[in-house]
Amino acid sequence: MADNFAADRPAGPRRHLGAVHALLLTLGMVITSDILKTAPTVALNVGQEHFYLVWVLGGVLSMVGALCYVEMASAFAHPGGDYHFLERAYGQRVGFLFAWSRFAILHTGWIALMAFLFADHFSALLGLGRLGNVLLAGGLVSALVALNLIGWRVSLGTQAGLVALVAAGFLGIFGAGLWLEWRGFVPPAVVPVEPEQVGVAGFSAALIYVFLAFGGWSDAATLSAELRDNRRGIFTAMLGALAALLLIYLALNWAFIRGLGFDGLAASGAPALELLGLAFGAPGIGLIMAVVVVSAVASINSTLIVGSRTTYAAARDVPALAVLGRWDVRHGVPRAALLAEGVVALLLIAVGGWSGHGFNTMVEYMTPVYWLFLSLSSVALIVLRRRHPEVLRPIRVPLYPWLPLGFLAVCLYMLYSSVAYVGWGALLGVAVLALGALLQLLLRPRAAQTQGWPEESA
């Protein structure tokens, strides 16, 4: 429960989202074509015996983490999502640092990563070169920022359509596997590729890419203040999206192995392209290009929606950043925060273009910071239960505190693995995080509120 202090705060979001809309938004955050790049790497690192196991493990562990977020989001509904949880658990300084990481590293880094994925496929067809890649990636981000500025009805309607198209494209990949099965197709023999890692190291490297494919589910917590039913709606959105995604990934990986063979998958640089080429020829290649394009657009669009809301929520607590903490009531969006997210994403696209390895550079840039704050968020559940036992919790994590502690152990292990297996981009991400720590020392936050968000536990 929480008191209402709406009179002391600027206008904020209203509860206009149904559970189905939230589910589609969450699915759009996590269902991306990076599975087409991660599946061969996973196969190369774990071998056939543990291939499906590592995907199931990644999906189940993601659901455990999502349960922790569902409890906090249903009890402390807020457009800042895990920014709000961290602030309540650890104080304004940690909350601000997390919001900075989302603004300057995680959300904007993901937007840049997906823009490069989009541009790389077009470049392969058109021979655009490095500068062409950067311009195309930047143009996509600019267009989607403009779309979101029109208003929430347009952006959410676009998202629903995009997710449906991505799901249809993935169904086409699965259909290619079924078609080859029906024809009795025998995958061509391929010389096995030497694994990049073996044993525990290989399994750890594979998990990094599996969690990358499932990543984005935590962003759904930013929608809690806009759900008409913030109690059951957030559960449906997060757990429903992850369950659907696990089934989709298992089906896609089966199709890859059915068409290419396991060794063929491990050796492939573009398994979906090869699979659909075998099954359907040129039309199949056109389909996979469409899937890559649409999924990149869907992911960037959903990240802009939730990323701008985290920035908006954090800026409300820092008077010097008040311009970013204004909500455009007419259009239903945080306009200034959206523009700021777009500008930072364009800067990261420039960095990735300079490096010559835009996609991989963004993975390195984001990964250690992502696992650092996911570790803190898993502990925040325990801290908030102890600090605010009076708050109504419609959904509680089962087997408390063992599930949150188990998820914390996973996060800490993945934090170690991400540092051990990434390159110079990780150092850049840590440096930008340190810049945020310096910035928060210079900015004076608003006096801490004794009450919660106007619609918390309403």
Side-chain angles (χ1 to χ4, degrees):
M1 54 188 264
D3 296 324
N4 193 317
F5 62 95
D8 300 326
R9 299 284 247 171
R14 59 188 180 86
R15 294 195 177 277
H16 58 89
L17 289 178
V20 175
H21 246 148
L23 175 70
L24 287 172
L25 272 174
T26 306
L27 195 56
M29 298 169 197
V30 294
I31 186 171
T32 67
S33 53
D34 58 356
I35 174 66
L36 308 182
K37 295 177 74 72
T38 56
T41 304
V42 174
L44 190 58
N45 279 286
V46 297
Q48 190 165 3
E49 181 180 357
H50 300 114
F51 181 70
Y52 289 112
L53 172 63
V54 74
W55 285 100
V56 172
L57 182 62
V60 170
L61 290 176
S62 296
M63 291 180 194
V64 172
L67 275 173
C68 298
Y69 273 64
V70 165
E71 175 176 321
M72 292 188 287
S74 64
F76 304 98
H78 193 279
D82 30 5
Y83 158 73
H84 184 56
F85 312 151
L86 289 168
E87 183 188 46
R88 293 192 72 133
Y90 305 115
Q92 288 181 318
R93 293 194 179 280
V94 173
F96 177 88
L97 194 59
F98 174 73
W100 169 262
S101 75
R102 281 286 172 96
F103 173 72
I105 303 170
L106 299 176
H107 282 151
T108 46
W110 180 259
I111 290 169
L113 179 147
M114 295 309 299
F116 276 118
L117 184 64
F118 170 88
D120 286 347
H121 280 76
F122 270 95
S123 182
L125 289 178
L126 305 176
L128 299 177
R130 184 183 299 185
L131 179 59
N133 263 21
V134 171
L135 293 176
L136 186 57
L140 174 63
V141 171
S142 300
L144 288 174
V145 169
L147 175 70
N148 278 271
L149 289 173
I150 296 173
W152 69 268
R153 291 185 185 275
V154 174
S155 62
L156 292 182
T158 300
Q159 188 64 22
L162 289 173
V163 172
L165 289 173
V166 173
F170 282 177
L171 182 62
I173 297 174
F174 179 58
L178 291 176
W179 173 248
L180 293 175
E181 173 73 21
W182 183 77
R183 290 173 52 196
F185 177 80
V186 178
V190 175
V191 177
V193 180
E194 285 296 319
E196 297 177 351
Q197 308 284 344
V198 294
V200 175
F203 198 81
S204 300
L207 269 179
I208 289 175
Y209 285 89
V210 168
F211 279 122
L212 174 67
F214 280 101
W217 53 264
S218 60
D219 290 341
T222 61
L223 304 175
S224 58
E226 297 177 66
L227 281 164
R228 287 195 292 268
D229 178 6
N230 75 304
R231 306 188 190 290
R232 302 297 173 184
I234 196 66
F235 178 88
T236 300
M238 297 182 78
L239 273 297
L242 283 173
L245 193 67
L246 176 57
L247 293 176
I248 290 169
Y249 283 170
L250 291 176
L252 289 178
N253 281 306
W254 173 85
F256 291 150
I257 293 175
R258 181 62 192 82
L260 305 178
F262 187 81
D263 290 334
L265 172 60
S268 176
L273 197 66
E274 294 180 24
L275 174 64
L276 269 74
L278 286 171
F280 306 128
I285 294 174
L287 172 62
I288 198 58
M289 286 297 299
V291 170
V292 169
V293 169
V294 173
S295 65
V297 172
S299 182
I300 293 172
N301 189 58
S302 63
T303 305
L304 282 170
I305 291 171
V306 297
S308 60
R309 281 154 174 77
T310 301
T311 300
Y312 152 80
R316 286 162 59 97
D317 295 329
V318 182
L321 302 178
V323 65
L324 298 179
R326 296 174 182 169
W327 190 271
D328 185 335
V329 177
R330 178 185 174 188
H331 295 93
V333 296
R335 179 172 293 268
L338 261 173
L339 287 170
E341 294 271 339
V343 169
V344 174
L346 291 176
L347 289 175
L348 291 178
I349 288 172
V351 171
W354 172 80
S355 73
H357 305 282
F359 185 92
N360 290 335
T361 299
M362 290 301 105
V363 172
E364 296 171 359
Y365 182 67
M366 295 184 298
T367 302
V369 177
Y370 172 77
W371 286 108
L372 170 64
F373 282 104
L374 208 59
S375 301
L376 291 175
S377 293
S378 62
V379 178
L381 171 68
I382 299 173
V383 173
L384 291 174
R385 275 214 191 183
R386 292 179 176 271
R387 187 169 295 170
H388 298 287
E390 79 286 355
V391 173
L392 177 65
R393 289 170 170 81
I395 299 175
R396 288 175 170 264
V397 174
L399 301 178
Y400 175 87
W402 303 113
L403 274 186
L405 290 175
F407 187 66
L408 171 64
V410 171
C411 291
L412 292 175
Y413 179 76
M414 294 309 299
L415 174 60
Y416 160 76
S417 297
S418 64
V419 173
Y421 297 116
V422 297
W424 69 268
L427 299 179
L428 178 61
V430 171
V432 173
L433 185 65
L435 177 61
L438 176 62
L439 183 63
Q440 62 130 356
L441 294 177
L442 302 177
L443 297 176
R444 185 180 298 276
R446 190 189 306 274
Q449 297 285 343
T450 57
Q451 291 100 348
W453 182 258
E455 306 221 19
E456 265 181 22
S457 303

